[in-house]
């Protein structure tokens, strides 16, 4: 048997693992938002990451501390906030770097405000010793509706009780 | 060549296959709902599985027979019922067990009723001789709107004709 | 070490790669729509592919040129058009062919028209020398609402500037 065959298998498997790891990173972002899990959210980013939410919100945070602080300031006033992550495409730009785009939808509701959108997340990713991390995420709105909607809101179950 | 290398490749490949199998199980659930395919729906569960839909619906079924019966009782009155499964996170709790959370949205319409929600599916999964199966699914609403909406409903094409 | 083990690993890895390639093809379709990227859209199809949008739209195009022309004629009048691709199931019908179903949602807005739907994409796929391609896609509406909705529309950022 040719050792080159084994090396080739390993290279192909590594590409599959990298793709799944990046898809999982985006999924873990959404899960952290929907579960309001601060610790999980912090682990998604490089220390020097940049998070931008485009116009008309137009905010930006530099570094994981500022990103987490901004995230909490946006999330905490909402009694409802659910992010929906749909399909995405990944483009590897080097052995340890990639860009990605994910199609997003969010619905939120504060005490007197409503928020519903369609958007694209444009991402830069890097491989770190702890796995793939976001180097930057930019949320680009395509549609934003802040008019009132009906319906009832239910609080998330406790993370501790919830298991997964 | 070191046989340990091959064993390690096999272990890594097994992890990838397990992740994809669990994602496929959640996708097959949604497909069975949207295609109203009873046989496909039954195959997703262990015999002793538990299915819970949280408040305010608050129903629970124990065992695959009761689960299938409950499912049909919920689905059959609806002329429209589409489940949308978004990204999810998986946590392996052993070599043959895992938990998962998937972000969900559903829109349904009966003769005189309307149903639109955002929710989290909290799942327990086990590996069986026939592959990964749901040991439990718990649908946790975050948002529920039963007010009327406009739009037209189209019946699903016949499964037989449809191919996939 | 048994060479059969290596062959088996390669076969299993190939199945994983095929599944991911088909999921990526559907994701690239949605990305091409949302980014309005004509070149990316063309590359998704076999030369003799068929694209059908079912009733009540009821249009069909044969061949990648006609498909691209139809796509542009549908997309260009819309100031907003976002396609949301959710989970899907894949069924391999041979070593180089598969069928698939993906759950879809779209929201669009022209100058004086509105479009919101839920649908199933029924797909036939084939492996070509350049990877997996759509041999056919059939969009089957389950729900269609053309009544007006509120909210603001934002133009996509330039593809060139956007990176991924």
């Amino acid at each position: 048997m040719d050792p080159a065959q084994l090396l080739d298998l390993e290279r192909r498997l590594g590409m599959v693992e990298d793709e799944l790891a990046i898809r999982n990173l985006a999924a873990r972002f959404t899960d952290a938002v929907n579960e309001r899990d601060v610790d999980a959210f912090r682990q998604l980013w490089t220390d020097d990451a940049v998070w931008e939410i485009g116009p008309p919100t137009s905010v930006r945070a530099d570094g994981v501390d500022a990103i987490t602080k901004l995230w909490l300031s946006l999330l905490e006033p909402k009694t409802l906030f659910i992010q929906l992550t749909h399909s995405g495409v990944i483009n590897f730009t080097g052995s340890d770097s990639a860009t990605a785009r994910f199609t997003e939808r969010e619905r939120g509701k504060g005490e007197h405000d409503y928020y519903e959108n369609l958007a694209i997340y444009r991402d830069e990713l890097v491989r770190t010793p702890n796995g793939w991390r976001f180097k930057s995420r930019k949320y680009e709105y395509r549609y934003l509706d802040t008019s009132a909607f009906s319906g009832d809101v239910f609080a998330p179950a406790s993370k501790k009780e919830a298991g997964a």
Side-chain angles (χ1 to χ4, degrees), chain A residues 1 5 17 19 46-47 53 56 60 67 70 97 106-107 111 119 123 126-128 140 142 144 148 154-155 157 162 164:
Chain A
M1 193 179 48
Q5 279 183 280
E17 290 172 323
E19 177 184 338
T46 61
D47 286 349
I53 303 175
R60 172 184 165 136
I67 288 169
L70 174 59
S97 61
E106 295 175 335
R107 171 162 279 204
E111 211 175 337
D123 299 328
V126 289
R127 187 200 308 274
T128 77
E140 178 188 299
R142 295 296 178 81
L144 177 60
F154 301 87

Side-chain angles (χ1 to χ4, degrees), chain A residues 126-145:
Chain A
V126 289
R127 187 200 308 274
T128 77
N130 300 314
W132 288 89
R133 294 290 181 272
F134 290 117
K135 187 183 161 188
S136 71
R137 300 208 91 183
K138 183 171 182 178
Y139 199 75
E140 178 188 299
Y141 291 98
R142 295 296 178 81
Y143 171 74
L144 177 60
D145 189 4

Side-chain angles (χ1 to χ4, degrees), chain A residues 4-77:
Chain A
Q5 279 183 280
L6 194 62
L7 275 178
D8 187 54
L9 272 194
E10 186 158 29
R11 184 192 55 77
R12 285 165 56 190
L13 180 56
M15 287 176 67
V16 163
E17 290 172 323
D18 285 344
E19 177 184 338
L20 293 184
I22 290 173
R23 296 200 180 283
N24 271 311
L25 191 70
R28 287 163 53 203
F29 184 100
T30 294
D31 187 66
V33 169
N34 294 348
E35 298 291 305
R36 301 187 178 219
D37 186 330
V38 183
D39 292 342
F41 182 81
R42 277 190 71 92
Q43 291 169 29
L44 307 170
W45 303 90
T46 61
D47 286 349
D48 62 347
V50 177
W51 186 34
E52 281 187 84
I53 303 175
T57 298
S58 303
V59 291
R60 172 184 165 136
D62 289 71
V64 66
D65 289 337
I67 288 169
T68 305
K69 194 176 166 186
L70 174 59
W71 181 66
L72 286 171
S73 75
L74 294 169
L75 198 54
E76 282 177 343

Side-chain angles (χ1 to χ4, degrees), chain A residues 80 150-154:
Chain A
L80 167 70
S150 53
D152 295 317
V153 173
F154 301 87

